[in-house]
Amino acid sequence: MKAEYINSFYGATEEVFKLMLNLEVKRGDLEIIEGFSKSKDANVTLGVTGELKGNVQFSFSKDMTLEMVKIMAGMEMEEIDVFVSSALGEVANIISGNAVTRLASHDYKCDITPPQITVGEHQSISMANKKALHIPVLTDIGEFGIDVFLPE
């Protein structure tokens, strides 16, 4: 997978987390995954269309999801409900939109599809037996993952 794919999504994540949540992020060790992505309690999947075709999945723990919404909305939430999942979907949507803008600077013309949100433990998202790159992202409120599947 090309470095500009990964750098576009990671750089957009850094920017959005700083601006929206006032949080610094740190990238963990990249990992190749095959078959099923590493899902958590709340997962947001977006398609990538155009010159690049594939998808990206953001996976968050329940605790991190609720803390993010608390920071963004100033409200204490106890469960991942419609409001919380909508806010999470919007964060992933903004990151992905910024990432495809960054990809455009590398001459890739692409767009994203609306986010699909799955909530609950033990959700598995099939990557159709293709390889993806897992980017672990660490913050002061928890760790989450970005799985990027953009085949050459």
Side-chain angles (χ1 to χ4, degrees):
M1 189 169 300
K2 293 186 178 181
E4 56 260 28
Y5 300 177
I6 303 312
N7 293 337
S8 293
F9 280 93
Y10 181 72
T13 301
E14 278 184 309
E15 184 178 277
V16 170
F17 266 67
K18 182 65 178 165
L19 291 172
M20 289 183 70
L21 302 165
N22 197 30
L23 289 172
E24 301 290 331
V25 300
K26 182 179 176 189
R27 190 180 80 197
D29 294 331
L30 302 177
E31 179 184 348
I32 300 286
I33 56 173
E34 197 166 354
F36 288 94
S37 66
K38 296 182 172 200
S39 63
K40 292 190 177 187
D41 299 318
N43 307 284
V44 183
T45 305
L46 298 101
V48 178
T49 62
E51 290 182 359
L52 299 176
K53 292 176 178 31
N55 60 43
V56 178
Q57 177 179 294
F58 298 83
S59 299
F60 300 89
S61 70
K62 177 182 176 183
D63 291 341
M64 183 172 184
T65 299
L66 297 175
E67 189 62 28
M68 286 171 58
V69 171
K70 179 180 173 185
I71 293 168
M72 289 172 26
M75 298 180 345
E76 191 85 35
M77 306 295 285
E78 293 185 19
E79 293 299 322
I80 301 174
D81 60 10
V82 173
F83 177 80
V84 172
S85 62
S86 177
L88 190 62
E90 192 55 32
V91 170
N93 199 39
I94 293 168
I95 291 170
S96 298
N98 289 356
V100 296
T101 299
R102 288 169 180 255
L103 286 167
S105 72
H106 295 285
D107 296 323
Y108 294 106
K109 293 178 183 158
C110 49
D111 204 354
I112 55 173
T113 63
Q116 305 255 330
I117 302 157
T118 55
V119 176
E121 294 182 52
H122 311 297
Q123 297 287 333
S124 297
I125 308 297
S126 172
M127 293 293 190
N129 295 322
K130 302 289 183 173
K131 291 182 182 176
L133 190 68
H134 176 72
I135 307 168
V137 182
L138 306 126
T139 74
D140 286 343
I141 62 169
E143 178 181 335
F144 69 99
I146 307 171
D147 294 340
V148 180
F149 170 62
L150 293 173
E152 301 292 323

